[in-house]
Amino acid sequence: MIYIDEDILCDNIDDVRTRSLNAPSPIQQFGPCGRIMRNSAMIMTIQDPASQRLTWYKPPLSVLVIKKVRDAMVIPPFIELVSWLTLEKRMVVFVEASVLEEPLVTKHAKFPDVKDKLMSFNEKHDDLTDKIDFIICLGGDGTLLYASSLFQQSVPPVMAFHLGSLGFLTPFKFSNFQEQVTNVLEGHAALTLRSRLRCIIVRGGYDKPQPKKPKPDATTAPWLPDPGVKLPSNLLVLNEVVIDRGPSPYLSNLDLYLDGRRITSVQGDGLLVSTPTGSTAYAVAAGASMIHPSVPAIMVTPICPHSLSFRPIIVPAGVELKITVSKDSRNTAWISFDGRMRQELTHDDSLRVTTSIYPVPSICAEDQIADWFASLDDCLRWNDRKRQRHFDDGNTAADDANLMSDDANPPSADAKNPSDDANHQCDGANRLSDDGNLMSDDGNMSESSSASSSVPTTPTSAASGVCALYDAEAGPSGLCRVAEITESEGGDSDDDSCNDNHEAGPS
């Protein structure tokens, strides 16, 4: 932690790396008169995210291992990890009680050796607040979200291995887990403090008699909660809280308040309130921006709004948001917290959301910046495109050779593909033959020009099927040389035999 007095003036910002909610500047005076109002402690507490590194007050003794469910490929790494932690590191390993009953786990050859050394817990009955020193996740992003939900106050450091589908929040590879876990246990690791949202549901109509609802089953609405189960009204979420229209066919109509002031009415499919960590989840799919998890902010994103001008907004982390169902709304709303604990929000209820003081300390594989941009590249393919070609100035040796070759063999005007070069060479040979025939024809025409006005039959090229005297270099609009010669000798330029041969040519 870095403590900065209000009266400190720093000439070189780079000497003291500090960051506040507004800017990386510790200066508290603005111009001749402007100053920041003094708080009760007369100091400002500013933490540098780059200095967030893990340290242990005492060696960690207990570790919670959470693995991905319904995935057979995670079983061998899970057995290898818990065996190494119990036998080599002599740590107390906690796992879910349901894991000890999975058939794929119990049938593994090495599981009987460690089964009696594992501690189990039940999510609905056991409290792990003061029992866990360290958390290891094996799977995808869902395992980290589940670990966050188990601790509604202070969260132990979390080390997440990528053994799932996406792995945006799981930067570690399992191939050399012994070395990486040892480094973390020795305190050699960077931390990303992922902020969470504190969500409180204020029930306004709890005194009113509520109509009895039928208990849902697998055939009616399996996604609805059991009415007999009391859901918590105070939850901490790592990604986002979603308020949507649920099964209703009507638009949701929600009122959004910011620190008690009504901001807008949301008409559409719903609303997302996300943390910076959750900005790369549901929010980015709904059109929001991506925020680095170290930025203290809350993102508000509409879901399919019925307004082209309703864009996502980012508000400071210290504000309190309140969402209520509008009085004239045709239906109620439904809330889910990180995709779980789904419950209904009636017209008399309200949801209040603000930033929690209990973040999730996520252990970095390298550092905060490298891990986040690596996830953007590997998982989301951020800015992944073909590079624009550079200008070709023709100065390279290869280009010079190609230019010399092109000058020696200029392409024809109507060339479409490389095979036209061969035809062009063939036409060149035909023209050489035609020149010889033309010289012979000149003598014949000069002898017979006064005796007859007809022109001798024009020889045709076997290769092209057109008049052999056709000037290919002149293009489709070129004139027959026989017509030019005949006209120059005083003959008839509209020779029928020549025109018949040209009807098969390009013109």
Side-chain angles (χ1 to χ4, degrees), residues 438 440-450 455-456 482 485-486:
L438 182 62
S440 176
D441 294 338
D442 289 342
N444 295 334
M445 284 187 293
S446 61
E447 293 177 359
S448 58
S449 58
S450 58
V455 180
V482 175
I485 296 173
T486 305

Side-chain angles (χ1 to χ4, degrees), residues 320-335:
E320 182 186 69
L321 298 172
K322 185 177 76 171
I323 299 100
T324 62
V325 180
S326 299
K327 297 298 182 182
D328 55 351
S329 176
R330 295 183 178 182
N331 59 301
T332 60
W334 287 82
I335 314 173

